[in-house]
Amino acid sequence: MVGVSPATVSRALAGTGLVAEPTLSRIRETAAALDYRPNVSARNLRTQRSMAILLVVRDAGNPFYLEVFKGVEAAAREAGYSVLMGNTEDDPVRETEYFAMLGDGHADGMILMTGKLPAPNDTRATGDEPVVVALEMVEGSGYPHVVIDNHAAALSAVNHLIELGHQNIAHITGPLPEPMSQRRMEGYRTAMKLAGLAIREGFEQRGDYLLESGVQCCRALLALPVLPTAIFCANDEMAFGVIGELNRQGVSVPDDVSVVGFDDLFLSAAFQPPLTTVSQPRADIGRQAMTILLSRLSGAAVPDEPVVVATQLKVRGTTAPPKSLTTQHQGRHQ
Amino acid sequence: MVGVSPATVSRALAGTGLVAEPTLSRIRETAAALDYRPNVSARNLRTQRSMAILLVVRDAGNPFYLEVFKGVEAAAREAGYSVLMGNTEDDPVRETEYFAMLGDGHADGMILMTGKLPAPNDTRATGDEPVVVALEMVEGSGYPHVVIDNHAAALSAVNHLIELGHQNIAHITGPLPEPMSQRRMEGYRTAMKLAGLAIREGFEQRGDYLLESGVQCCRALLALPVLPTAIFCANDEMAFGVIGELNRQGVSVPDDVSVVGFDDLFLSAAFQPPLTTVSQPRADIGRQAMTILLSRLSGAAVPDEPVVVATQLKVRGTTAPPKSLTTQHQGRHQ
DNA sequence: TTGTATGCGTTATCAA
DNA sequence: TTGATAACGCATACAA
């Protein structure tokens, strides 16, 4: 040592302000010189905290989660936490595993972005763990939620199409038992109903958020007796599938058919034409979730109502008035 | 307890095979019943390992790294490791921070995907830390590397354009002091040289891997006296910028100008038209890096030559023969 | 095959 | 303002 007790060193380096000036700087200097850093495991054992949080997502390969991660990571860093990323691949076993990591000291808290809890039979989830759910809904769980208003967002997207003059508007849903897909579909239905528009047979196609299902649903739509002039997709990825298929079939976007997505993925604006879509403030969502988790960890109160963050409809190049309208319009003027 | 010493429990749960059968299952059962899990911090302190590795990337917002993460995570999980993701934002301070996390027990090893080491003056990097570098090159560092052959990949991309009949081929580079950008540029130059083609003034534009620089470089290219009929971009993101700008200027891809990218991003194949690009096996790269790191951690030998993983040119919709050729061709037949 | 005892490197309590 | 001391929960060397 430098002639001082370990306790004093600990206090000095922790910045408790309980160490007098001559010693303080001397300790700091020699710590820097020796490149000394307190051992994390020992500290964790002593303090009973790991200063790490777990971000559990459905599919780590989906860029969607990246921006959320960035928000989480930024807020975590500021508070001295590291972020462990967990990937469930929609596997309940994995979910249980990650949940268990809360109990064994791996992490102090968790941000859940999967819609499920571990199987109820062997669940460790009593509802009072330091868990925050982001974007998904774990019904009746008692955890704080950070959400977007999927219903309102879908409604505004469809309204945009209606305002452009579309009447035959189709919808490609997400996987359907899920609340998120359900809400978006209900938003679509509400918008149609409020506008007095009928949803024709086959205009609701069931997708699964993946590109290929966009392609399939688009084919089904094109086989219908009455074709839609606009398609609202429950996410961007399926919208890309739809647009690709439309192009292959010689249908022009947005001249023949308008397409709206949901998510505003990385590069969705760079698409040709740029995709009209609902943008979610993903980094904000991550940051909010982390902030709530931090309050929870510090023993403060957490909101018992879901925190709703605002979405924004980005009107870009894949939506236009329907052809019938533009034709009529041109007709009148010529 | 269940009438047995802590040591026996430890041995039983660790699966050392040193516990007799009647006791073994009894311990396991009661552990399961009590939902007991060994405390991670205590184990880490005792074993002097954290069973965590650190994946440090340049920009966690870039989907490019996601697939690498998946590969790393998969290999890590199999070996019982967790993955901590670090985000440097190209900030040397952060890089030093993450490097320090190796020393303080936060992580046992690190996979570096940034091209730099911490500033040499206060570096902890002596060259024998458990570090594996992936895709980037840290020259003279002594760390094992997992790389792709950027030179050969760029060469094959440009050769593809040459085989299509292009002669005026431009290149948009990455940020230029960096080895990766350098190699790709050299691949471009080699291909041109081998084909006896001249690189015209202004045909090498300097980008920075971001979308906007693709747009800017494209404008510069369009202002040239002789226009290129093909553009090889050092990554997909810039290629998207280029294609967008070409479209805005009324230049058709691939009819007027062919574009080739590099990376094969998520959804690059879903682009309209689908992007011709160099595909890197990102998950494999992550897995390889992690595998090497695991050998290193277990004391085994690591390759002292860079491990090269193969890339693949994905020929899709943004490349075609140059207009002059197709016109001549049509001319002959008409 | 099992139990006993020690120490991993901190932080926190208490006393000085 | 600082020092001595105990304890965090486990894994292991050694003894039984």
Side-chain angles (χ1 to χ4, degrees):
Chain A
M1 313 285 168
V2 283
V4 72
S5 83
T8 312
V9 175
S10 174
R11 285 188 281 250
L13 265 38
T16 53
L18 297 171
V19 182
E21 194 28 76
T23 12
L24 184 61
S25 26
R26 201 152 46 86
I27 291 176
R28 281 193 180 148
E29 279 166 25
T30 36
L34 266 56
D35 194 28
Y36 167 83
R37 314 198 81 220
N39 180 288
V40 171
S41 299
R43 166 182 296 162
N44 290 349
L45 176 58
R46 179 63 232 236
T47 59
Q48 303 286 58
R49 299 184 310 162
S50 63
M51 293 307 280
I53 70 104
L54 197 51
L55 174 64
V56 179
V57 302
R58 200 189 281 281
D59 168 21
N62 191 331
F64 179 88
Y65 293 113
L66 262 189
E67 298 236 6
V68 181
F69 170 85
K70 277 184 94 167
V72 169
E73 205 254 2
R77 271 182 59 80
E78 286 168 17
Y81 281 81
S82 331
V83 180
L84 235 54
M85 190 142 143
N87 188 8
T88 68
E89 311 271 5
D90 273 328
D91 179 353
V93 176
R94 292 247 202 141
E95 297 189 351
T96 321
E97 257 178 59
Y98 286 118
F99 227 88
M101 288 174 70
L102 270 191
D104 68 14
H106 255 108
D108 297 336
M110 173 156 82
I111 295 178
L112 256 191
M113 299 195 71
T114 74
K116 302 166 203 155
L117 285 181
N121 48 344
D122 75 331
T123 182
R124 280 96 179 154
T126 67
D128 57 342
E129 292 86 2
V131 171
V132 175
V133 183
L135 287 187
E136 308 268 352
M137 277 301 263
V138 182
E139 311 276 3
S141 62
Y143 300 125
H145 283 69
V146 178
V147 298
I148 60 165
D149 188 339
N150 283 293
H151 186 278
L155 191 138
S156 80
V158 177
N159 271 346
H160 163 62
L161 293 169
I162 293 172
E163 282 162 14
L164 285 174
H166 291 276
Q167 301 196 329
N168 289 322
I169 304 172
H171 176 45
I172 300 181
T173 73
L176 257 195
E178 284 184 12
M180 185 191 286
S181 312
Q182 196 78 33
R183 300 272 156 75
R184 292 180 188 178
M185 185 181 68
E186 284 160 9
Y188 159 73
R189 287 180 177 173
T190 306
M192 295 296 276
K193 191 167 185 178
L194 290 179
L197 297 174
I199 296 175
R200 291 177 187 270
E201 178 82 27
F203 268 29
E204 286 183 348
Q205 290 288 330
R206 182 165 173 170
D208 62 3
Y209 285 144
L210 298 181
L211 187 86
E212 183 55 25
S213 82
V215 175
Q216 298 301 338
C217 293
C218 182
R219 278 193 198 138
L221 251 23
L222 290 174
L224 257 29
V226 175
L227 299 184
T229 61
I231 305 173
F232 167 52
C233 305
N235 78 349
D236 279 7
E237 191 170 337
M238 292 193 296
F240 291 132
V242 166
I243 295 173
E245 182 60 18
L246 289 175
N247 280 331
R248 274 186 292 278
Q249 306 276 343
V251 180
S252 162
V253 177
D255 297 338
D256 300 323
V257 172
S258 290
V259 176
V260 179
F262 202 116
D263 277 353
D264 196 17
L265 288 188
F266 181 72
L267 293 184
S268 282
F271 205 75
Q272 293 305 325
L275 185 68
T276 297
T277 186
V278 176
S279 173
Q280 313 185 36
R282 291 190 283 282
D284 269 7
I285 289 163
R287 180 174 279 281
Q288 285 255 20
M290 188 65 208
T291 307
I292 295 174
L293 185 55
L294 288 171
S295 329
R296 172 68 178 74
L297 289 175
S298 68
V302 293
D304 47 1
E305 289 298 307
V307 175
V308 181
V309 299
T311 60
Q312 199 186 351
L313 180 67
K314 302 268 188 188
V315 177
R316 296 200 274 244
T318 55
T319 48
K323 216 169 189 176
S324 55
L325 273 193
T326 42
T327 318
Q328 280 173 24
H329 188 70
Q330 286 171 357
R332 277 205 302 278
H333 283 266
Q334 272 167 8
Chain B
M1 314 287 167
V2 284
V4 73
S5 82
T8 311
V9 176
S10 173
R11 286 188 279 249
L13 265 38
T16 52
L18 296 171
V19 182
E21 193 30 73
T23 13
L24 183 62
S25 27
R26 200 153 47 87
I27 291 176
R28 282 193 180 147
E29 280 166 25
T30 35
L34 267 54
D35 195 27
Y36 167 81
R37 314 198 80 220
N39 180 287
V40 171
S41 299
R43 165 183 297 162
N44 290 349
L45 176 58
R46 178 62 231 241
T47 60
Q48 304 287 55
R49 300 182 310 162
S50 63
M51 294 309 279
I53 71 103
L54 197 51
L55 174 65
V56 179
V57 302
R58 195 189 285 279
D59 168 23
N62 190 331
F64 179 88
Y65 293 113
L66 263 189
E67 297 234 8
V68 181
F69 171 85
K70 278 186 93 166
V72 169
E73 205 255 1
R77 272 182 59 79
E78 286 167 17
Y81 281 81
S82 335
V83 180
L84 236 53
M85 191 142 141
N87 188 8
T88 67
E89 310 272 3
D90 274 328
D91 179 352
V93 176
R94 292 246 203 141
E95 296 190 350
T96 322
E97 256 177 60
Y98 285 118
F99 227 88
M101 288 174 70
L102 270 191
D104 68 14
H106 255 109
D108 297 336
M110 174 156 82
I111 295 177
L112 254 191
M113 299 196 69
T114 74
K116 301 166 204 158
L117 284 183
N121 48 345
D122 75 333
T123 183
R124 279 95 180 157
T126 66
D128 57 342
E129 291 86 2
V131 171
V132 175
V133 183
L135 287 188
E136 308 268 351
M137 276 302 263
V138 182
E139 310 275 3
S141 61
Y143 300 127
H145 283 68
V146 178
V147 298
I148 60 165
D149 188 338
N150 283 292
H151 185 277
L155 190 138
S156 80
V158 177
N159 270 346
H160 164 61
L161 293 169
I162 293 171
E163 282 162 14
L164 285 173
H166 291 276
Q167 301 196 330
N168 290 322
I169 304 173
H171 177 44
I172 300 181
T173 73
L176 257 195
E178 285 184 10
M180 187 192 286
S181 311
Q182 196 76 32
R183 300 274 157 77
R184 293 180 188 178
M185 186 180 69
E186 283 160 9
Y188 159 73
R189 288 181 177 172
T190 306
M192 294 296 277
K193 191 167 186 180
L194 289 179
L197 295 175
I199 296 175
R200 290 177 188 271
E201 179 82 27
F203 268 30
E204 286 183 347
Q205 290 287 329
R206 182 165 172 172
D208 62 5
Y209 284 145
L210 299 180
L211 188 87
E212 184 55 27
S213 81
V215 175
Q216 299 300 339
C217 293
C218 183
R219 281 196 195 132
L221 250 20
L222 290 175
L224 255 31
V226 174
L227 299 184
T229 61
I231 305 174
F232 167 52
C233 305
N235 78 349
D236 279 7
E237 192 170 337
M238 293 193 295
F240 291 131
V242 166
I243 295 173
E245 182 61 17
L246 288 175
N247 280 331
R248 275 185 293 277
Q249 306 276 345
V251 180
S252 162
V253 176
D255 295 338
D256 299 323
V257 172
S258 289
V259 176
V260 179
F262 202 117
D263 276 354
D264 195 19
L265 288 189
F266 181 73
L267 295 183
S268 282
F271 205 75
Q272 294 303 322
L275 185 68
T276 296
T277 186
V278 176
S279 174
Q280 312 185 36
R282 291 190 283 281
D284 269 7
I285 290 163
R287 180 173 279 281
Q288 286 254 21
M290 187 65 208
T291 306
I292 295 174
L293 184 54
L294 287 171
S295 331
R296 172 68 176 76
L297 289 175
S298 68
V302 293
D304 47 0
E305 289 297 308
V307 175
V308 181
V309 299
T311 60
Q312 199 185 351
L313 179 68
K314 301 268 188 186
V315 177
R316 297 201 273 243
T318 55
T319 47
K323 216 170 189 177
S324 55
L325 272 195
T326 42
T327 318
Q328 282 173 20
H329 189 72
Q330 285 170 0
R332 277 207 300 276
H333 281 266
Q334 275 166 5

